[in-house]
Amino acid sequence: MNNSKYLYGASVQGIQDFIFKTNKLKEIVGASELVEQICTSKFKNSIKFKEKNLILNAAGNVKYIFETEQDCKDMVLNFPKEIMEFAPGITISQAVVKIDGEKKLPAAINELEKKLKAQRNKATPPFEIGYMGLERSRRTGGIAFRTKEHKDDNEDNQYVCEATYIQSSRK
């Protein structure tokens, strides 16, 4: 019988850059809400969630203990793609530490933090790849997703990137 458990950690990178990509208050609030949802509802809906296994899910960080190796592997494989589709422009760092009979939780958390710091230094290719000939959002520089109608101010309709469009649709 295998009593090993797996401490999973995920960290959202570049939260401030993501949130303050624009100076529009509505989009800043929407981006902040997206980051909060990543650590709470999106994470919980991605697994067979057990409250007793949750260590942390706030401020762009998640720490969770998986009881099976396969559940942990599935999370590592699928969670980043799910998050990049949900919030374009967000990058997730992940790491896993195996906890067996001899390793205590505080030591495993310290090892996990070291692995997460190392993962932050690895480049993640953007989910949205743009070619030079594509229209760009003038405010953020992202790939133009669609035009946004500005009813609340005097700006003309303009192209916005997908991240800005999603952020401005959140309240």
Side-chain angles (χ1 to χ4, degrees):
M1 186 171 147
N2 186 2
N3 285 339
S4 295
K5 294 183 180 185
Y6 300 87
L7 177 61
Y8 169 83
S11 179
V12 177
Q13 292 178 224
I15 294 174
Q16 286 186 339
D17 289 339
F18 180 73
I19 291 175
F20 296 111
K21 189 178 278 188
T22 178
N23 60 358
K24 301 284 184 181
L25 182 60
K26 184 176 181 181
E27 294 169 6
I28 291 170
V29 170
S32 182
E33 178 67 23
L34 288 175
V35 171
E36 189 269 332
Q37 286 179 9
I38 288 169
C39 299
T40 56
S41 60
K42 291 304 275 183
F43 177 76
K44 289 178 181 179
N45 293 335
S46 297
I47 59 171
K48 295 176 233 164
F49 183 76
K50 295 180 183 176
E51 190 70 40
K52 68 177 184 165
N53 291 353
L54 181 65
I55 296 172
L56 172 72
N57 69 330
N61 294 295
V62 175
K63 289 182 180 59
Y64 187 82
I65 297 174
F66 283 95
E67 296 175 355
T68 66
E69 184 177 8
Q70 188 58 47
D71 288 345
C72 188
K73 282 182 179 180
D74 291 343
M75 184 60 150
V76 169
L77 183 65
N78 298 322
F79 192 58
K81 180 180 181 288
E82 186 178 323
I83 294 309
M84 287 190 270
E85 287 175 347
F86 173 69
I90 285 283
T91 304
I92 296 276
S93 299
Q94 302 179 103
V96 176
V97 174
K98 186 175 182 178
I99 304 172
D100 50 19
E102 59 201 47
K103 188 177 284 187
K104 302 291 183 209
L105 186 59
I109 290 174
N110 287 337
E111 186 179 339
L112 181 71
E113 285 298 326
K114 288 178 186 175
K115 286 184 173 186
L116 282 171
K117 284 181 184 177
Q119 284 295 323
R120 287 185 195 114
N121 293 328
K122 293 184 179 178
T124 304
F127 195 67
E128 55 195 18
I129 297 176
Y131 300 102
M132 289 179 60
L134 294 178
E135 182 73 36
R136 296 278 177 172
S137 168
R138 294 179 194 263
R139 242 190 3 235
T140 63
I143 300 162
F145 178 65
R146 59 176 67 174
T147 59
K148 178 181 177 200
E149 296 177 17
H150 292 279
K151 297 176 184 169
D152 55 343
D153 52 14
N154 295 328
E155 293 183 44
D156 294 331
N157 292 348
Q158 64 180 355
Y159 288 104
V160 294
C161 64
E162 186 175 10
T164 302
Y165 182 79
I166 291 171
Q167 291 165 6
S168 65
S169 66
R170 304 280 178 189
K171 296 199 181 192

